[in-house]
Amino acid sequence: MKFDSIVIGGGMAGLSAALRLAEAGQKTLLMASGQSALHFSSGSVDLLESEGDPRTALPAFMAANPEHPYSKVGLAHIAASLDDLQRHCAAQGLPLFRQERNHQRLTPIGTLKATWISPDTCACVTDAPAPDAILLATLEGFRDFHPELAAANLATHARFAHCRILTGEIRLPQLAEFSRNPHEFRSADIARLFDKQGNGQHDLLTDLAREISRMVQESGEPRCRHLVLPACLSLGLVGPRLAELELRTGCIIKEVATMPPSLIGMRMQEALKRRFMALGGTFLTSERVLGARYDGDRVIGVHSQNGDDQLFEADNFVLASGSFFSRGLESRLRGIREPIFNADVLSLPERDAWAGRRLFDHHPFMGFGVKTDDKLRVLRGGKPLANLYGAGSVLAHYDPIKEGSGSGVAVATGWQAAGHILSSAQ
């Protein structure tokens, strides 16, 4: 099988690269090993932890960190990559929200996390004044969102000092089937039921709207018109469903990502996957790449767990296989390794130095990863492979947690790796 480009990894970095390549007319294959980190993601895109507009902080940050992936991408390309992400998501009915500064996304435990872009259905703190009252609600029996905990944490923020934070529980008899096995009572199960029953069967949405109205009335604050629900109302695009609920209840309804699996992150992946395939791309899932063949400094093909006799060939490749979580990097007793290409990696020789002594310390292993040159070409034996580019969390020299840059780096490097491939093909 011969392609113009092959992208290894179905997360944010891989999809960003694949979308740009496919849109430019390249015959593109994306090989995904299964669930990506987006299934455990909030769906928001962090650019950089910063007060105000993170774009104004980027030049100084990049100057202080010349090996950082952002420094290899450049300011103009970072901005263009994020604009493209918004455009592709909008084309699939998933509009994304951003301001001229970082906004604050509500987490499942009621803390506020600074981020740059979020799906517009997410509960976020923006420049608008906080409402006089807000109601955090869950579904009876649902264990992955606890309104009381979220309310207690949210109440500690000065922004909500004058806001009455209420909690409630929605009772839907249709969910009783899950009570036989509470371990299966997860957001995806509830979403499947809503998706199924919203298709010509009993209108579960009508019952939900009735329950929301009852809960607001019984809250003691009947004028409360701001409601936050756990993200569990649809596996697909939830915007129309929330809009219908708002019309029936008169409330402004937003959702908060739950503990994994996160439907908001899953929707983002599915929207980008649909967009890639609509542009003519080929998407293979459960296709873990295990090794490669070379001709000098060029990769000529890769093979998967289905056998090294089936070679996937291409002119160019993007390595976006993720970090330790996605097995893009492997931890060994004497160090770490990149398992597909045996690429050069940044590590420390002493394992005791890999992690801080306390949970919330800085952990050096977060910056471990594959080394690249200034064009994001992967290094092997100290030299760049001419047609293999790295993108996303497999890369070295950045700490997504400490910097608040995880998805931003993934989008920017995936997009830029594709740009280098397109330039080389001209």
Side-chain angles (χ1 to χ4, degrees):
M1 294 186 194
K2 181 66 184 291
F3 295 85
D4 295 324
S5 294
I6 292 177
V7 178
I8 303 167
M12 189 67 88
L15 284 162
S16 296
L19 281 165
R20 189 176 186 189
L21 293 167
E23 191 169 41
Q26 285 223 343
K27 183 181 178 183
T28 307
L29 169 67
L30 191 151
M31 303 177 73
S33 60
Q35 290 184 349
S36 77
L38 279 169
H39 285 243
F40 303 84
S41 160
S42 66
S44 293
V45 177
D46 301 339
L47 180 56
L48 190 69
E49 185 75 37
S50 172
E51 294 292 333
D53 187 342
R55 295 171 297 184
T56 63
L58 275 173
F61 176 81
M62 292 159 60
N65 300 275
E67 291 296 316
H68 194 280
Y70 277 155
S71 300
K72 298 178 181 181
V73 173
L75 281 173
H77 294 146
I78 294 170
S81 70
L82 294 169
D83 288 343
D84 257 11
L85 175 69
Q86 288 191 266
R87 178 173 61 84
H88 287 308
C89 286
Q92 290 299 314
L94 184 68
L96 304 180
F97 162 82
R98 85 178 193 196
Q99 325 182 109
E100 295 304 306
R101 65 180 68 195
N102 277 333
H103 58 272
Q104 305 257 299
R105 173 181 55 81
L106 182 66
T107 73
I109 60 172
T111 57
L112 297 177
K113 172 72 172 61
T115 192
W116 180 239
I117 297 175
S118 295
D120 71 352
T121 59
C122 291
C124 296
V125 178
T126 66
D127 292 336
D132 293 331
I134 185 170
L135 176 58
L136 309 181
T138 191
L139 299 171
E140 185 180 32
F142 185 56
R143 289 169 167 76
D144 290 342
F145 179 60
H146 301 278
E148 293 80 7
L149 172 63
N153 286 325
L154 191 60
T156 65
H157 292 276
R159 187 74 179 273
F160 291 87
H162 303 291
C163 175
R164 187 178 179 194
I165 304 174
L166 310 168
T167 62
E169 190 173 68
I170 295 168
R171 299 187 293 269
L172 292 175
Q174 296 93 328
L175 302 182
E177 65 180 82
F178 295 117
S179 64
R180 295 192 296 272
N181 188 352
H183 299 292
E184 296 301 320
F185 195 51
R186 293 290 182 261
S187 55
D189 301 303
I190 300 170
R192 288 189 188 96
L193 187 62
F194 271 97
D195 289 341
K196 177 182 177 181
Q197 296 206 4
N199 188 22
Q201 299 187 28
H202 177 74
D203 191 357
L204 186 56
L205 206 64
T206 297
D207 291 344
L208 178 59
R210 186 182 304 116
E211 270 292 288
I212 289 173
S213 298
R214 174 200 60 79
M215 185 176 55
V216 170
Q217 188 65 34
E218 294 177 0
S219 69
E221 191 70 50
R223 291 178 297 176
C224 176
R225 287 295 176 262
H226 289 80
L227 180 69
V228 175
L229 296 175
C232 61
L233 298 186
S234 179
L235 289 171
L237 299 176
V238 77
R241 188 157 294 169
L242 289 180
E244 178 66 19
L245 271 179
E246 290 180 338
L247 183 64
R248 296 188 186 193
T249 63
C251 293
I252 297 171
I253 302 175
K254 297 294 183 181
E255 58 178 1
V256 61
T258 65
M259 300 302 179
S262 169
L263 296 195
I264 300 179
M266 291 165 64
R267 292 178 199 139
M268 173 79 77
Q269 176 170 307
E270 287 303 308
L272 295 177
K273 176 182 172 182
R274 288 196 306 272
R275 176 67 169 167
F276 170 63
M277 296 176 70
L279 291 169
T282 302
F283 192 105
L284 293 182
T285 192
S286 300
E287 198 74 47
R288 178 172 293 280
V289 177
L290 297 183
R293 295 184 191 172
Y294 308 88
D295 181 7
D297 67 347
R298 297 185 65 84
V299 180
I300 60 172
V302 295
H303 61 85
S304 70
Q305 79 272 18
N306 292 322
D308 60 5
D309 58 328
Q310 183 177 9
L311 195 67
F312 296 89
E313 299 179 78
D315 296 325
N316 290 284
F317 298 80
V318 178
L319 178 64
S321 51
S323 187
F324 302 100
F325 177 81
S326 303
R327 294 168 62 186
L329 298 172
E330 293 180 352
S331 173
R332 299 296 180 92
L333 184 61
R334 297 184 182 274
I336 68 166
R337 66 183 291 264
E338 186 281 311
I340 299 173
F341 301 97
N342 195 27
D344 295 349
V345 295
L346 175 69
S347 183
L348 292 174
E350 297 295 330
R351 287 185 64 94
D352 286 348
W354 288 12
R357 296 299 177 186
R358 296 180 177 85
L359 178 62
F360 295 106
D361 284 350
H362 168 60
H363 299 295
F365 79 87
M366 294 297 296
F368 293 175
V370 168
K371 296 179 181 179
T372 63
D373 68 3
D374 60 354
K375 291 185 177 180
L376 295 175
R377 292 181 300 184
V378 172
L379 301 183
R380 187 170 184 258
K383 297 179 180 180
L385 289 165
N387 63 337
L388 174 63
Y389 300 83
S393 58
V394 75
L395 297 176
H397 299 294
Y398 86 106
D399 184 336
I401 303 300
K402 179 183 178 183
E403 301 162 3
S405 63
S407 295
V409 167
V411 173
T413 54
W415 189 89
Q416 182 70 346
H420 287 309
I421 289 173
L422 296 175
S423 294
S424 70
Q426 291 178 352

